Amino acid sequence: NMDINSEKVEEIFQENKIDYIFHLAAQANVSFSTKYPDVDATENILGSIKILKLSKKYKIKKILLASTAAIYGKPEYLPVDEKHSPACLSCYGLSKLTMGQYTKLLDVNYIIFRFANVYGPRQSALGEAGVVAIFAMTASYSDFLLPYLVLQNTNTQTVMVAVYRLSTTTTL
């Protein structure tokens, strides 16, 4: 583990021949971003600028960046697409939108993914971002609640797929 703002980050670029970067580092807690917008900006904006500048310096072929659908705020229509106007409702969404703007302005070859409801193996079902973990926990307690939850979230295709796969596994 290394802080994205650490001076040692450049050593990784110096010591390795890197062609592609998957930039997944972030402060991703929405309520934390509101309480501590300076920390959120330091991690999500300044840390990303550091990676972007190093990518240019070391001639990285392409950088793939994790952003968020939170930049769009309340959807104008479904499904949410790139035609939506940004309408951030949180400092977290704003920091990720700003990261994307810097990416464009710093002229690097990039792809930005605007994820929603990301799930990882250690994700907690507590807090605002644990929808898939909540489904997994619910499935482990009750089979009949899972179809109900899926029907209530039919506008989130990614979650439906994750829940379907989860419901067909033998162990959670």
Side-chain angles (χ1 to χ4, degrees):
N1 286 333
M2 182 182 297
D3 185 328
I4 192 171
N5 288 301
S6 168
E7 292 302 319
K8 293 184 177 188
V9 170
E10 185 163 7
E11 291 175 15
I12 295 170
F13 284 80
Q14 292 169 339
E15 295 170 2
N16 298 280
K17 172 63 178 127
I18 301 170
D19 292 321
Y20 301 92
I21 293 178
F22 293 84
H23 176 19
L24 306 173
Q27 184 303 111
N29 184 308
V30 176
S31 58
F32 182 91
S33 76
T34 302
K35 191 171 182 179
Y36 304 101
D38 52 334
V39 177
D40 186 71
T42 299
E43 296 298 317
N44 292 343
I45 299 171
L46 298 179
S48 295
I49 290 170
K50 179 183 194 98
I51 297 298
L52 293 169
K53 287 173 66 177
L54 289 170
S55 295
K56 279 190 77 150
K57 181 177 179 179
Y58 290 93
K59 298 179 178 27
I60 302 301
K61 291 180 183 177
K62 185 171 280 191
I63 182 167
L64 297 95
L65 300 113
S67 184
T68 176
I71 71 155
Y72 300 117
K74 185 175 179 184
E76 300 165 16
Y77 55 86
L78 295 173
V80 176
D81 59 22
E82 290 284 325
K83 295 176 186 160
H84 272 77
S85 300
C88 303
L89 299 175
S90 68
C91 295
Y92 169 69
L94 180 60
S95 70
K96 294 305 241 176
L97 175 64
T98 304
M99 176 200 68
Q101 295 301 318
Y102 273 105
T103 302
K104 293 171 187 174
L105 291 172
L106 292 176
D107 193 34
V108 295
N109 191 10
Y110 69 92
I111 297 174
I112 296 175
F113 296 97
R114 303 221 188 275
F115 297 119
N117 300 322
V118 175
Y119 174 75
R122 293 178 305 276
Q123 182 177 359
S124 171
L126 305 174
E128 75 261 343
V131 67
V132 176
I134 291 167
F135 287 152
M137 183 181 71
T138 302
S140 68
Y141 292 122
S142 172
D143 291 335
F144 75 90
L145 285 179
L146 190 58
Y148 173 78
L149 290 170
V150 171
L151 289 173
Q152 294 300 309
N153 290 284
T154 55
N155 63 333
T156 311
Q157 185 177 11
T158 304
V159 171
M160 286 176 42
V161 171
V163 171
Y164 172 75
R165 288 184 180 146
L166 212 110
S167 68
T168 59
T169 61
T170 54
T171 56
L172 295 174

